[in-house]
């Protein structure tokens, strides 16, 4: 892609409307999760979101998806696809606490959790849990219920405020079944963008 990944795109085009990129990602997830069986991405990060010449975001980096859909997949090979704990859902970090195996913890709901972290990073230009310099301490925080705090005024000016912040926090609910599903995210994010557009036109 000419613009590279979404992080590179925002460095080149810092005034881009970030909420619209977030909506593009939600729409991609909604499509993947609507398939039968659903495609679970398993490693949603800003590096795996590419930007088309039109400025639209699209999801890439499907190595983990292929592994998860392989009926011959073995846990021995699982370590090749280990994700970033800063974006991983609590059930992925500690599946036994949720009555799951490691492979079972990769679900549409875990993608939604990661989506919330990606949205946080897009609005803030900060990696989740940026205040924890050692990534190996992040799982301890997540298991204890830790989540990112609101990143401040600059992120709010870019759209991470009010209902959008509520949407992002809903994605981080500890129980997978309590998180919104991707098609609900599409509706919610689109509604917020519509309200923002109306307020800008006044």
């Amino acid at each position: 892609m000419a613009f590279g990944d979404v992080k590179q795109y925002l460095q080149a085009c810092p005034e881009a409307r970030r909420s619209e990129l977030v909506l593009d990602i939600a729409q991609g997830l909604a499509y993947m999760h609507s398939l039968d069986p659903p495609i679970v991405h398993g490693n949603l990060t800003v590096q795996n979101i590419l930007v088309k010449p039109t400025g639209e975001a699209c999801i890439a980096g499907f190595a983990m998806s292929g592994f998860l859909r392989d009926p011959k997949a073995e846990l021995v090979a699982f370590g090749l696809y280990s994700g970033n704990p800063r974006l991983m859902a609590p059930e992925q970090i500690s599946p036994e606490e949720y009555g799951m195996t490691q492979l079972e913890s990769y679900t549409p709901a875990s993608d939604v959790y990661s989506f919330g972290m990606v949205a946080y990073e897009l609005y803030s230009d900060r990696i989740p849990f940026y205040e924890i310099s050692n990534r190996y301490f992040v799982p301890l925080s997540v298991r204890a219920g830790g989540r990112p705090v609101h990143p401040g005024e600059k992120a709010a000016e870019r759209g991470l405020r009010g209902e959008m912040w509520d949407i992002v926090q809903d994605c981080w609910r500890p129980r997978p079944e309590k998180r919104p599903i991707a098609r609900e995210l599409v509706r919610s994010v689109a509604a917020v963008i519509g309200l923002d557009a109306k307020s800008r036109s006044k």
Side-chain angles (χ1 to χ4, degrees), residues 78 83-98 100-102 105-106 110 113 117 129 135-144 146-147 179:
F78 191 79
N84 185 335
R86 296 180 185 276
L87 292 94
M88 293 171 69
E91 68 270 17
Q92 294 173 296
I93 289 171
S94 188
E96 63 282 356
E97 292 182 16
Y98 289 77
M100 297 176 172
T101 65
Q102 187 77 70
S105 71
Y106 284 77
S110 66
Y113 181 96
M117 291 297 176
F129 304 101
R135 64 181 282 179
Y136 295 104
F137 290 152
V138 172
L140 299 177
S141 176
V142 173
R143 288 181 65 187
R147 300 291 186 272
R179 298 171 202 150

Side-chain angles (χ1 to χ4, degrees), residues 89-157:
E91 68 270 17
Q92 294 173 296
I93 289 171
S94 188
E96 63 282 356
E97 292 182 16
Y98 289 77
M100 297 176 172
T101 65
Q102 187 77 70
L103 287 173
E104 288 169 347
S105 71
Y106 284 77
T107 65
S110 66
D111 277 350
V112 165
Y113 181 96
S114 297
F115 166 86
M117 291 297 176
V118 167
Y120 170 91
E121 190 167 351
L122 292 186
Y123 285 114
S124 68
D125 289 332
R126 290 175 170 171
I127 59 171
F129 304 101
Y130 66 89
E131 71 282 3
I132 304 176
S133 57
N134 188 330
R135 64 181 282 179
Y136 295 104
F137 290 152
V138 172
L140 299 177
S141 176
V142 173
R143 288 181 65 187
R147 300 291 186 272
V149 298
H150 193 281
E153 188 58 33
K154 186 68 175 177
E157 290 171 4

Side-chain angles (χ1 to χ4, degrees), residues 3-15:
F3 284 118
D5 66 41
V6 72
K7 189 171 184 178
Q8 294 167 323
Y9 172 67
L10 290 174
Q11 287 169 348
C13 307
E15 300 308 312

Side-chain angles (χ1 to χ4, degrees), residues 29-81:
L29 279 184
Y31 171 73
M32 291 163 53
H33 294 173
S34 72
L35 300 176
D36 186 18
I39 293 178
V40 174
H41 188 279
N43 189 27
L44 197 66
T45 67
V46 292
Q47 290 77 21
N48 283 332
I49 309 298
L50 306 183
V51 181
K52 299 178 183 179
T54 57
E56 296 170 288
C58 55
I59 299 173
F62 287 93
M64 180 58 122
S65 296
F67 177 80
L68 293 171
R69 289 169 71 88
D70 183 357
K72 298 177 183 175
E74 295 181 6
L75 197 57
V76 175
F78 191 79
L80 297 173
Y81 303 101

